[in-house]
Amino acid sequence: MLVRNGRIEAMGADVSTAAPGEPVEDLGHAAILPGLVNAHSHLDYTIFRGRLDNEPFFPWIRSLTELGARLQYDDFLASARLGALQMIRSGVTAVGDSSFSGAAARAAAEAGLRGIVYQETFGPDPSEDYREQIEALSERIEELQAEAGERISVGVSPHSVYTSSERLLRLVADLAADYGLPVAMHVAETQEEAEFVEKGAGQIAEFYSRFGFDFDPKGKSPVAYLHDIGLLGEKTTAAHCVYVTEDDLDILAEEHVTVAHCPKSNAKLAVGTAPLDRIVTRGILTGIGTDSAVSDNAMDMFEEMRFSVLMQRAAWRDAGALDAQRALELATLGGASALGFESEIGSIEPGKRADLIAVDLSSSSVFPTSDPYSALVYSCTSADVILSLIDGEPVYRRGEFLRTDADGIRQQAALLAARL
Amino acid sequence: MLVRNGRIEAMGADVSTAAPGEPVEDLGHAAILPGLVNAHSHLDYTIFRGRLDNEPFFPWIRSLTELGARLQYDDFLASARLGALQMIRSGVTAVGDSSFSGAAARAAAEAGLRGIVYQETFGPDPSEDYREQIEALSERIEELQAEAGERISVGVSPHSVYTSSERLLRLVADLAADYGLPVAMHVAETQEEAEFVEKGAGQIAEFYSRFGFDFDPKGKSPVAYLHDIGLLGEKTTAAHCVYVTEDDLDILAEEHVTVAHCPKSNAKLAVGTAPLDRIVTRGILTGIGTDSAVSDNAMDMFEEMRFSVLMQRAAWRDAGALDAQRALELATLGGASALGFESEIGSIEPGKRADLIAVDLSSSSVFPTSDPYSALVYSCTSADVILSLIDGEPVYRRGEFLRTDADGIRQQAALLAARL
């Protein structure tokens, strides 16, 4: 593999001898891959890892909101830096991250990650005007764009249909259109969300009435509702999509919406299994995401690939549902496509950016597998990543973080964790 | 933790200062656990890792049989040694292993592992007499007992109800009773197995008729059928139990049969999700198994714990289905109980054997989790194991295999893999 000026120049038999003075690195028995793309994360919440392991979705999200309310911007920054450190350690070179504090943009940029950080917003109260909130939001997005640097784009994320009123969603849709912003949303994550939007009933409706909020049942699915509002397009990534009908998949496919599949989060929160196989078969561009450390804990994209295959096979009892090669594609080119970066990253092609990782294939859980897809998807973990480059710049090599002050980040995080 | 004469003497505040000359080891920020118990494995097949990743159960098992037919005893030994190496690397100190070649007994003994190796047998043809086979089997078991050493017990395993005729099963039940042998079987692993036993129909019946074998439908479930034959008792471990009815669970509970749950194998082979939560709730002693590298690939018991929780939560959409502490219990004391070793291993108690592992809790996928159960079950992998003792003897420490010739085993395995 020949990397020059931050880009892939040639590989395999096309690689000529290095020019005098050019560094050469022998990676041993390793696979060189496109850097993994984490299509849906919340680096802000890394500090809460292990705090909410046993709650089902709605109690969990309320507890998470309460935990989050204890943090200031600097705390979220310490937390997001810890998350970015784990991304680098685990072979992730690009993220699609939703952040309420906005700290993830700075943390990701400092770590050298590529990606989109979506400024989150929410507001369920239909009696609110929201114009001031939207004004503040657009200012905040401009600030983030200035501080995030060139590898991080800024997008916008109304959290979900059940935490954002129709008026807020429409205003965000206008804002996104005006600024040409990418959009991320949690979509059809739970059956309760679908029930609430369609019928105005269930657990979420009870919660609304407790707070005195109104909600008109929409008589349609969350996907159809968002479609009417104008939030679904090729710059929109829908995270989760666990409860989607065939009609919903038609809409997602026709509008070129991309999907971020988060199998471990959906499992741990007892939400269910997303129909990944059906989504992918429709030709919907799909990436894989870890979600946050509060639901995923490890945030290991290798394990997410493994779960993606195994949970589809278990749920639909179909060994043809997904294979290792497809899972690796989802975690690389799929994620890159979901974020709109497919022309620059996501595969190993001359001319693409050198966002590359090397994964050692000699561990005792891999040996003697000769099929690299099998090894990477069914056996490897973050611990097997030995080198990570972004734009050709080494950011991690065999235990050493080359760009970030890992010890300092851990010390700050330890201080924060001790206060919580 | 104070270990003397191969046993746990004291821990925590009860540990006095070491006597002069006694070695003292500071393990840093680590958890000390009972060694993990792999309640169902096939070390013999490790060499086939990554060879059969995309076949559903029945084509898969036929392909595996064909692959196995290419190996001689020495090949199986090389393969089982590779598997035992991964067991040691991943914090497993005891196994319940089913082996047709018998090589696993020698490989496990050499590695210093504790456990039971079950000599496998099969024979579906109801016209066979099987008395000679049983005689050879009992001789083989005596040989294995002689060569396996004191930490490995020998048991017997008629592979399954669909690969063993009723006559063979009855003769094995008699043999097991005569010798007081532990028994392991694959039980109710697939829906096809249940359909075949009850109705004599489906995929397996077609396979039987192709070979000219008869099979009388039993009009009952595999569990009920095995119960009638007399193969179910407290010395029997039933692997898988994916398709079990409430009546089956009654039988398993009443007969004190133990269960080996293999979630990743069941998922990868598209078999389904075993009702682990219901099994455990019935008070049935249950361990967790990796099954072989041909279905599980990595054979990492940490990931099996993780899958055990997450697949139950996803399948039954119940966040209370299983938690991290329970998963760790299944992988330690549960497995020890399934194998009948619970008085000697499986928990950290003064007087128990010092089969102990230390797991580093400082990796970036764990930090800053303060709950050790959460860290071990939701974040750790085999790569975090830093020390492993069996009977107080260190067998692995920070990358070094202290008892086995890891390089030699890998070289032999590489030669074998290249031939296949």
Side-chain angles (χ1 to χ4, degrees), chain B residues 194-271:
Chain B
E195 190 186 9
F196 176 65
V197 172
E198 177 137 6
K199 301 178 192 156
Q203 229 180 105
I204 308 177
E206 286 162 31
F207 189 72
Y208 263 58
S209 73
R210 209 186 313 157
F211 282 79
F213 299 150
D214 286 328
F215 186 85
D216 295 329
K218 308 298 172 188
K220 59 187 72 159
S221 72
V223 168
Y225 171 47
L226 287 170
H227 188 216
D228 287 353
I229 286 173
L231 266 167
L232 299 186
E234 63 176 11
K235 294 190 101 172
T236 300
T237 300
H240 303 298
C241 293
V242 182
Y243 292 93
V244 281
T245 64
E246 291 300 315
D247 288 346
D248 291 340
L249 294 179
D250 286 341
I251 294 172
L252 296 175
E254 279 161 22
E255 296 296 339
H256 303 287
V257 173
T258 65
V259 167
H261 176 64
C262 304
K264 281 181 67 189
S265 173
N266 298 153
K268 183 145 170 278
L269 298 173
V271 156

Side-chain angles (χ1 to χ4, degrees), chain B residues 61-112:
Chain B
I61 202 169
R62 290 202 298 273
S63 301
L64 176 57
T65 307
E66 286 164 24
L67 280 176
R70 297 191 207 164
L71 303 196
Q72 308 296 315
Y73 177 84
D74 284 350
D75 303 327
F76 280 118
L77 184 59
S79 178
R81 281 171 172 157
L82 186 68
L85 198 70
Q86 167 65 359
M87 292 300 95
I88 295 291
R89 176 66 193 89
S90 62
V92 168
T93 57
V95 295
D97 191 87
S98 295
S99 170
F100 187 67
S101 76
R106 190 160 147 202
E110 286 172 358

Side-chain angles (χ1 to χ4, degrees), chain B residues 296-348:
Chain B
D296 176 271
N297 301 60
M299 299 203 294
D300 178 330
M301 282 288 291
F302 291 90
E303 202 168 76
E304 299 291 342
M305 289 194 272
R306 194 143 56 239
F307 261 70
S308 295
V309 176
L310 298 190
M311 299 211 70
Q312 291 298 301
R313 291 189 180 190
W316 325 125
R317 295 173 52 200
D318 176 4
L322 213 69
D323 66 11
Q325 183 168 352
R326 196 61 188 261
L328 189 64
E329 282 169 9
L330 294 177
T332 53
L333 191 58
S337 303
L339 302 180
F341 298 160
E342 70 279 8
S343 64
E344 287 283 48
I345 61 162
S347 58
I348 296 184

Side-chain angles (χ1 to χ4, degrees), chain A residues 44-124:
Chain A
D44 278 9
Y45 297 140
T46 310
I47 200 73
F48 301 136
R49 177 180 274 147
R51 297 248 171 185
L52 299 171
D53 284 340
N54 295 310
E55 292 185 76
F57 188 83
F58 284 100
W60 172 87
I61 202 169
R62 290 202 297 273
S63 300
L64 176 57
T65 307
E66 285 165 23
L67 279 177
R70 297 189 207 164
L71 303 196
Q72 307 296 315
Y73 177 84
D74 285 350
D75 302 328
F76 279 118
L77 185 59
S79 178
R81 282 172 171 157
L82 186 69
L85 196 71
Q86 166 65 0
M87 292 301 94
I88 295 290
R89 176 66 194 89
S90 62
V92 168
T93 57
V95 294
D97 192 87
S98 296
S99 169
F100 186 68
S101 76
R106 189 160 148 200
E110 286 173 356
L113 288 164
R114 191 182 309 286
I116 303 175
V117 173
Y118 304 90
Q119 173 65 52
E120 272 196 318
T121 190
F122 68 96

